[in-house]
Amino acid sequence: MEALPPSLAGHLSEEQRQTVMEAPREKRLEALAAALGRPEPEVLVHLAQAAGLDVASNLETDPGARGLLPPRLVHEYQIIPIRHGEKPEQGEPTSSTPLHIAAAWPPDGLMADWIRTFTPRPLAWHLAVPERVHQLIIENFG
């Protein structure tokens, strides 16, 4: 989603929209919250709803999926594979097991296309607090 959802974009001037979209992915939520004059947690929920995503909390990386995505892609798109509802003892994932990905900003088609070049697993997107996504990227990918 390279553009803001209309339900949020309608509350911003063209200049504010441009400022948000020109910010690095990990800073877009902060820029959007500042432009809207609302707290980041509230804006994260609204952004997730507008994008049709859920908000991932209690983020835990998926060690089995860590090797699927190259570090450059993870850093550039501010995404991290996470565990979501599955138990570690469920065994190895198959090509039909969803790959749950937490993102600092809603994904766009280009992101999904790039990720699909590295895994056939269906993608399940979640929004998460950008600072936490960034922290997990540093901890897991350097």
Side-chain angles (χ1 to χ4, degrees), residues 8 25-48 55 104-105 127-132:
L8 291 171
R25 280 183 190 277
E26 67 271 18
K27 298 292 185 191
R28 286 183 186 171
L29 179 67
E30 179 182 332
L32 180 59
L36 293 170
R38 307 298 310 159
E40 282 185 41
E42 176 185 317
V43 174
L44 179 66
V45 170
H46 288 297
L47 180 61
V55 175
W105 187 256
L127 273 189
V129 175
E131 291 82 8
R132 182 68 178 131

Side-chain angles (χ1 to χ4, degrees), residues 25 42 49 58 64 85-86 129 135:
R25 280 183 190 277
E42 176 185 317
Q49 289 171 344
N58 301 324
E86 66 259 8
V129 175
Q135 176 188 9

Side-chain angles (χ1 to χ4, degrees), residues 70-91:
R72 179 190 60 77
L73 202 68
V74 169
H75 281 279
E76 182 176 336
Y77 290 130
Q78 289 296 294
I79 56 175
I80 188 87
I82 59 169
R83 285 191 176 154
H84 187 268
E86 66 259 8
K87 307 285 185 283
E89 62 274 2
Q90 283 181 323

Side-chain angles (χ1 to χ4, degrees), residues 80-84 86 98-102 121-126:
I80 188 87
I82 59 169
R83 285 191 176 154
H84 187 268
E86 66 259 8
L99 176 61
H100 291 272
I101 300 175
R121 292 171 61 181
L123 306 178
W125 293 99
H126 309 271

Side-chain angles (χ1 to χ4, degrees), residues 68 92-99 119-123:
L68 293 176
E92 290 298 311
T94 66
S95 62
S96 63
T97 305
L99 176 61
T119 181
R121 292 171 61 181
L123 306 178

